[in-house]
Amino acid sequence: HLHFPECNGNECTKASAQSCGECIQAGEKCGWCIDKDFLKQGEQKSTRCDEIEALIKKGCSEASIENPRGTVSVNKNQSLTDRTKDGVKLKPDQITQIQPQKLTLNLRSGEAQTFNLIFKRAEDYPIDLYYLMDLSYSMKDDLENVKNLGTDLMAEMQKITSDFRIGFGSFVEKTVMPYISTTPAKLLNPCTSDQNCTSPFSYKNVLSLTSQGSQFNNLVSKQQISGNLDSPEGGFDAIMQVAVCPNQIGWRNVTRLLVFSTDAGFHFAGDGKLGGIVLPNDGKCHLQDNMYTMSHYYDYPSIAHLVQKLSENNIQTIFAVTEEFQPVYQELKNLIPKSAVGTLSSDSGNVIKLIIDAYNSLSSEIILENSRLPEGVSISYISHCKNGVSDKGENGRKCSNISIGDQVMFEVAIMAKGCPSNGKSETIKIKPQGFTEEVEIVLNFICECACHKEGIPNSPVCHFGNGTLECGACRCNEGRIGRVCECSKDEVRTDDLDANCRMDNGTDICNNNGDCVCGACECKKRDNPEERYSGKFCECDNFNCDRSNNKLCGGHGRCECRKCICEANYTGSACDCSLDTSTCLASNKQICNGRGTCECGTCKCTDLKFQGPTCEICPTCPGVCTEHKDCVQCQAFGTGEKKDTCKEQCNKFILVKKKKKEELPQPNDQPYINHCKERDANDCWFFFTYATKNDSTVEVHVAEELECPSGPDIIPIVAGVVAGIVLIGLALLLIWKLLMIIHDRREFAKFEKEKMNARWDAGENPIYKSAVTTVVNPKYEGK
C-alpha cells in the first residue's frame, strides 16, 4: 500500500539542497542519493535529497545513500577517587570528582549526541576560606570576637577536612568624598577624638591563606577599626580584588569559600559618580603591598561583573550579615550562583556556626554550568540524583542533598543546527559550580558527506568542466547553472531555449508543471514529497492515476506517468480487479456455489434464483430441512408421504439413528451441519441433523424419540366447568338478594316520609251519637 505523508512536505525536500553537504545540514533524517541514474528526466538535482525511506521507495539502494551519523568518543576517563588512597593522602590535583574528563563529539545537524557525566563528592576535600570583614566603626564589637576566629574555626573545620587554610581581609570605603571625610584630621582618625581608629582604606589583604590558625589570630588582633560617612560600604571593590588576585590571596585549586561579613548595604556600579569616578571597573588585580590602590580611579563593579569573576575563579560566597540587611543580601544571593546568606549576631558571636551551616548548604548542592556555546549549538541536561529523583530543563543541571561519598549522574545532550563555526572545531567546557574540575568537550561538525572528498573538479561530465562531479551530481562553478552546469546564468531565459521546453509545439512551457532552465524542463516539486512530476516536458506524474476506494491504484499498484502498474493478482485501470478466487469460495468449497462466475474477486450468479456474495442464498428455495423431511421420516419411522417409494427416492444420504435429540451432533462437531425440527401427520415433532462431509457424502442423524402433544384430562375440565357454573349461580343470587334489599329499603323510606306528611281533621262527627245517657234526679238535693 502506498503511504502518503503529511501534505506540507518535510525539511529535506523543502531545503532544495543542491549538494550532499547542504542536504545533510537540512535535518537528521535527510539522506542524499549518489546513484548517477537516480534522477528521472525533468527532475531537479534537489530530488536526490529526501528522507531515507522515501529515497528507497523512489528506487535508490541503501548502499547509494549518503547518511553520515554523529558519534561520541571519550578521550580521558580517569576513575573517581577518594581523598585517601591506600593510606596515602592525595594532593588536590590528584583527586577526581567528575568523570569523564574529556570527550570528542561529531555532530550532525539536528541529531543530538548524548553522554553521561558522573559526579561524586570526595571525602576530606581541601578547603580555602577567606574572611573579608567590614572594619567601619559600627563593626567595632564584631572585631573583638573575630580575633580568636582562626583557631576556633580551624578546630571546627578539622571535622570536615584535614586540609584547611584561612585568610583575612578588611574593607571600609573609597578614600574620596563624599564617602569619607577628607579633612587632614579625619584622614588620620575618622572616628571621634576619644576613639583610636586607623586611617580609612578601600581594601586590605591582611593575611593570605595559611594553615596556621594562630597566625590568623595574631594579625587580626592587631587590626584597628576605621570609619566612613555614608552607610553603604565599598565591599564590592574588596570582593572583586579577592576574586581576581589569586596569587596574592593564595587560592589553591580546591573548594574556595569567601565569607563576606558586614552590617551595612553596598555600593555598586554607578555610585562612583558621586565621587567623580566614572571609569568602569576593569576586573583586574590592583594590589600593591596588599592594598587596593585604584579605588579612587575605578568605579564599583556591577553585580553581573562580580558574578562573572566569582564564577570564573570558582569562589563560593557566604554573606554573613545582620538581621536588618537580610532581605537585601537574600536578593543578592539569588543573582550570584553558589552563594549563601547567614544571619550574623550583632557582635559576630555566631560566625563559626554560620560558616559551617553555609558550607554544608553549598556543598550539598551540585550545579553544572557550561561555557558559552557556539551559535547554532544547544545543550540540555537530565539529572539523576539520589533516591531515583530525576529532573530536566533548568532543574536538570542540579542535584541537592548530596553527602560525602554520594554519586549522581547527569545525562547531557548536545545538538547542532546547520554547520556552526563554518565547520571549524569548537571546544566547550562543563563544570560543577564552585569546583575547579571541568569536562572538556571538543565539537566537530559534520558539514559534508564522505563522498565530498572524492569529488572530481572540472569534470567533463559537468558540461566541459563547468563543475565538480561530487556525490553523483554536478556542483556547478560560480556563474553556471543547470543539472550538468550546461548554462550560464546570463542565458537562462531566451525564446530559443524556451522552444525546447514546449511539447508538440504547444504553448505551455513544461506543461505548466515546471520551469525551463537552459532549454530543459526542471519539474516543480509538490508539497507531498512522494508526489512528483517527471518526463522531458514534465508531462508525467505519479499521483494522477485512477483511484478505487479513495486509494491511488486501489492501493494495489504504483502510478507511473498517469497509468497504474498493478501488483500480481490485480488488474484493471485502478488495479481494483482481483484475480484471487478465494473470496468467491462457497461453504461447500465450490466457486460461487457452482451457480455463478468469479469476476474481480466477486461472484456474479448465473442462476437467478441464487444470490449473495457466494451465490448460496435462495429465498424461494425450500430449506434443507423441509427438502429432506419426507425421506428422513420414511427411512427412520416408515411413515410420511414417501413411505411407499422410500428406497427409490431417498438413497442420497446415510442415515444414523440416535435415541434422543441430545445425542445428535452439535454445531462444533463438524462443519456445514444443519439442525432440523419437523412435524409429522400425528402432530409429533421429530429431530434430525443434515451434514455434508469433505468427501461430498451426506450424513443424516435422527433422534428416534418423538415429541408428541399429550391429550386433555377430562375430570379436571368437568370439575372446573361445574365449579364455574355453581360459582356463577351463587354470584347471581347474591347480586339479586343485594338488589332486593336495596329496593325494600327505598320503599320503606318512602312510606315513612309519607306518614310524616299526613294531616288529620280534629272536628266532631255530626252523626256521632254518644252511647252514654245522663239522667238528673230532680229530687236529689245533694245530701
Side-chain angles (χ1 to χ4, degrees):
H1 292 263
L2 297 176
H3 167 69
F4 296 101
E6 55 189 21
C7 293
N8 57 0
N10 59 54
E11 57 188 355
C12 309
T13 55
K14 285 181 177 179
S16 295
Q18 298 299 307
S19 67
C20 188
E22 291 180 19
C23 178
I24 63 172
Q25 291 176 42
E28 65 167 324
K29 297 180 180 179
C30 302
W32 177 270
C33 184
I34 62 174
D35 185 353
K36 63 179 182 178
D37 300 322
F38 171 70
L39 294 183
K40 294 185 178 180
Q41 194 170 29
E43 287 187 329
Q44 300 178 22
K45 194 190 306 181
S46 59
T47 307
R48 291 181 178 274
C49 182
D50 207 336
E51 293 183 354
I52 308 302
E53 289 184 9
L55 289 175
I56 294 173
K57 285 181 181 178
K58 290 177 184 177
C60 188
S61 64
E62 286 192 54
S64 299
I65 298 176
E66 280 285 327
N67 181 30
R69 311 312 301 175
T71 58
V72 177
S73 56
V74 178
N75 308 115
K76 188 178 180 182
N77 193 24
Q78 292 181 357
S79 301
L80 300 171
T81 56
D82 296 323
R83 182 70 179 100
T84 56
K85 187 175 181 181
D86 299 329
V88 179
K89 185 177 289 188
L90 299 175
K91 295 179 181 178
D93 57 1
Q94 294 177 311
I95 297 173
T96 303
Q97 294 184 108
I98 193 164
Q99 179 188 17
Q101 295 79 39
K102 185 176 181 180
L103 304 98
T104 299
L105 272 59
N106 294 318
L107 295 177
R108 158 85 183 267
S109 177
E111 180 188 25
Q113 295 300 321
T114 304
F115 56 91
N116 294 331
L117 294 181
I118 301 173
F119 179 86
K120 179 182 178 182
R121 272 191 66 189
E123 184 182 355
D124 196 25
Y125 196 70
I127 299 173
D128 284 355
L129 184 145
Y130 191 83
Y131 196 91
L132 183 59
M133 185 174 181
D134 176 6
L135 283 189
S136 58
Y137 188 75
S138 58
M139 294 286 284
K140 183 179 180 181
D141 54 344
D142 300 78
L143 181 59
E144 291 301 318
N145 282 321
V146 173
K147 287 178 180 178
N148 293 321
L149 178 65
T151 51
D152 294 346
L153 184 58
M154 188 76 70
E156 285 296 322
M157 294 302 284
Q158 287 289 340
K159 299 175 184 177
I160 298 173
T161 175
S162 60
D163 190 351
F164 176 72
R165 298 199 310 167
I166 190 169
F168 184 83
S170 58
F171 66 91
V172 182
E173 187 56 276
K174 287 186 180 296
T175 54
V176 295
M177 281 287 287
Y179 312 112
I180 66 166
S181 175
T182 54
T183 59
K186 288 292 184 182
L187 283 175
L188 290 174
N189 184 2
C191 307
T192 54
S193 56
D194 60 330
Q195 297 289 336
N196 185 22
C197 294
T198 188
S199 299
F201 56 91
S202 176
Y203 162 65
K204 182 194 302 181
N205 176 29
V206 177
L207 175 65
S208 297
L209 290 164
T210 177
S211 57
Q212 304 298 320
S214 56
Q215 189 179 358
F216 179 97
N217 293 356
N218 293 335
L219 282 173
V220 173
S221 298
K222 297 175 183 177
Q223 299 305 304
Q224 288 183 304
I225 214 74
S226 187
N228 61 321
L229 293 178
D230 62 340
S231 175
E233 314 294 1
F236 277 15
D237 273 342
I239 293 176
M240 178 61 78
Q241 293 303 301
V242 171
V244 300
C245 299
N247 294 332
Q248 289 87 337
I249 303 300
W251 291 118
R252 297 177 296 172
N253 283 333
V254 297
T255 300
R256 299 175 176 182
L257 300 179
L258 170 61
V259 180
F260 182 83
S261 174
T262 184
D263 64 349
F266 48 83
H267 285 296
F268 53 89
D271 288 357
K273 290 181 179 179
L274 295 172
I277 303 171
V278 294
L279 280 178
N281 195 289
D282 65 351
K284 294 181 180 177
C285 183
H286 297 288
L287 289 184
Q288 290 184 7
D289 298 328
N290 287 322
M291 296 288 287
Y292 179 41
T293 57
M294 302 297 280
S295 68
H296 62 288
Y297 191 74
Y298 289 116
D299 194 3
Y300 301 99
S302 66
I303 295 175
H305 200 181
L306 273 185
V307 169
Q308 178 191 351
K309 293 300 179 182
L310 288 170
S311 180
E312 282 179 5
N313 292 280
N314 304 306
I315 295 173
Q316 305 176 57
T317 312
I318 300 171
F319 295 105
V321 297
T322 53
E323 183 73 38
E324 180 185 357
F325 287 93
Q326 277 287 310
V328 175
Y329 283 91
Q330 282 288 350
E331 291 298 320
L332 183 61
K333 165 192 171 292
N334 295 334
L335 299 173
I336 300 179
K338 292 296 280 187
S339 61
V341 177
T343 304
L344 193 67
S345 60
S346 58
D347 60 354
S348 296
N350 67 331
V351 68
I352 292 179
K353 183 178 185 304
L354 185 153
I355 292 171
I356 298 295
D357 291 345
Y359 169 74
N360 289 333
S361 172
L362 289 171
S363 61
S364 67
E365 184 175 58
I366 172 73
I367 304 174
L368 294 186
E369 62 180 4
N370 51 267
S371 59
R372 186 175 180 181
L373 299 172
E375 188 174 352
V377 177
S378 61
I379 190 168
S380 63
Y381 298 85
I382 299 177
S383 61
H384 300 282
C385 308
K386 287 174 63 177
N387 303 322
V389 177
S390 292
D391 213 335
K392 55 186 177 180
E394 277 304 305
N395 289 331
R397 293 173 173 265
K398 59 185 178 182
C399 283
S400 303
N401 301 320
I402 302 174
S403 305
I404 292 173
D406 285 345
Q407 184 171 300
V408 294
M409 187 179 77
F410 295 89
E411 190 177 323
V412 186
I414 298 180
M415 185 170 71
K417 195 67 179 174
C419 183
S421 307
N422 296 320
K424 295 179 182 177
S425 293
E426 296 278 357
T427 300
I428 64 170
K429 294 181 179 180
I430 299 176
K431 70 183 186 70
Q433 288 181 359
F435 292 85
T436 56
E437 294 178 66
E438 59 188 15
V439 180
E440 182 180 339
I441 302 169
V442 179
L443 305 179
N444 298 322
F445 304 105
I446 303 174
C447 297
E448 289 289 352
C449 300
C451 56
H452 169 71
K453 298 176 182 178
E454 302 168 5
I456 304 172
N458 304 320
S459 170
V461 177
C462 301
H463 198 73
F464 306 107
N466 284 312
T468 301
L469 182 61
E470 175 187 300
C471 302
C474 286
R475 180 181 279 191
C476 299
N477 295 338
E478 189 66 30
R480 303 294 297 187
I481 58 172
R483 192 158 151 180
V484 289
C485 314
E486 66 271 27
C487 271
S488 169
K489 286 185 178 179
D490 302 330
E491 56 185 36
V492 173
R493 296 295 302 219
T494 65
D495 291 338
D496 291 339
L497 292 173
D498 285 352
N500 295 327
C501 297
R502 294 189 177 96
M503 187 175 182
D504 300 329
N505 294 323
T507 57
D508 294 336
I509 293 178
C510 302
N511 285 286
N512 289 328
N513 293 327
D515 298 316
C516 189
V517 180
C518 302
C521 285
E522 283 198 358
C523 302
K524 294 177 182 176
K525 286 187 177 182
R526 300 273 295 175
D527 287 336
N528 186 333
E530 293 202 2
E531 296 179 358
R532 49 182 180 162
Y533 294 106
S534 60
K536 183 178 179 181
F537 302 102
C538 302
E539 73 277 12
C540 292
D541 63 60
N542 66 345
F543 54 87
N544 272 324
C545 291
D546 290 342
R547 292 176 177 266
S548 177
N549 293 328
N550 202 29
K551 292 180 180 179
L552 192 68
C553 297
H556 302 296
R558 66 183 186 278
C559 182
E560 290 188 4
C561 205
R562 303 187 178 182
K563 288 186 178 180
C564 285
I565 307 298
C566 300
E567 297 172 358
N569 289 331
Y570 285 94
T571 186
S573 63
C575 302
D576 53 352
C577 183
S578 174
L579 301 177
D580 184 12
T581 59
S582 61
T583 55
C584 296
L585 286 179
S587 58
N588 58 8
K589 299 298 182 182
Q590 290 183 317
I591 292 178
C592 299
N593 196 29
R595 293 182 171 89
T597 58
C598 186
E599 297 180 10
C600 297
T602 304
C603 282
K604 288 194 175 180
C605 304
T606 52
D607 189 336
L608 300 180
K609 291 191 299 181
F610 289 86
Q611 61 188 38
T614 53
C615 301
E616 289 183 279
I617 300 172
C618 180
T620 59
C621 299
V624 170
C625 296
T626 306
E627 184 180 348
H628 297 90
K629 165 189 170 184
D630 292 334
C631 283
V632 172
Q633 195 175 357
C634 78
Q635 282 202 29
F637 306 105
T639 58
E641 295 178 1
K642 293 184 179 181
K643 64 180 180 179
D644 297 328
T645 58
C646 196
K647 290 184 179 180
E648 295 80 13
Q649 296 184 1
C650 301
N651 55 5
K652 296 179 181 178
F653 57 82
I654 301 169
L655 186 75
V656 179
K657 293 183 180 182
K658 300 288 184 182
K659 289 289 185 184
K660 298 181 179 180
K661 67 177 182 179
E662 288 79 7
E663 298 176 10
L664 295 177
Q666 298 305 308
N668 295 330
D669 291 348
Q670 59 189 93
Y672 320 123
I673 188 168
N674 292 284
H675 282 254
C676 302
K677 176 182 179 182
E678 296 293 335
R679 191 192 300 268
D680 62 11
N682 298 322
D683 281 342
C684 291
W685 294 100
F686 63 94
F687 301 88
F688 65 93
T689 61
Y690 184 93
T692 304
K693 291 190 169 184
N694 294 332
D695 57 0
S696 298
T697 59
V698 177
E699 192 174 66
V700 174
H701 290 72
V702 62
E704 294 178 334
E705 186 179 73
L706 303 177
E707 282 189 6
C708 297
S710 57
D713 194 347
I714 301 299
I715 295 174
I717 294 174
V718 172
V721 171
V722 172
I725 294 171
V726 171
L727 289 172
I728 292 170
L730 289 173
L732 291 173
L733 286 172
L734 287 172
I735 292 170
W736 176 81
K737 182 65 176 174
L738 182 63
L739 292 173
M740 290 304 294
I741 291 171
I742 294 170
H743 179 265
D744 289 348
R745 286 185 177 179
R746 284 181 178 176
E747 288 297 321
F748 181 75
K750 184 177 178 182
F751 167 76
E752 288 290 327
K753 185 178 180 181
E754 289 177 352
K755 181 181 177 182
M756 292 294 293
N757 293 335
R759 295 182 180 274
W760 301 94
D761 192 359
E764 292 183 359
N765 192 344
I767 64 171
Y768 173 74
K769 288 184 178 181
S770 175
V772 178
T773 302
T774 305
V775 180
V776 178
N777 189 355
K779 296 288 188 179
Y780 181 70
E781 295 177 354
K783 292 182 180 178

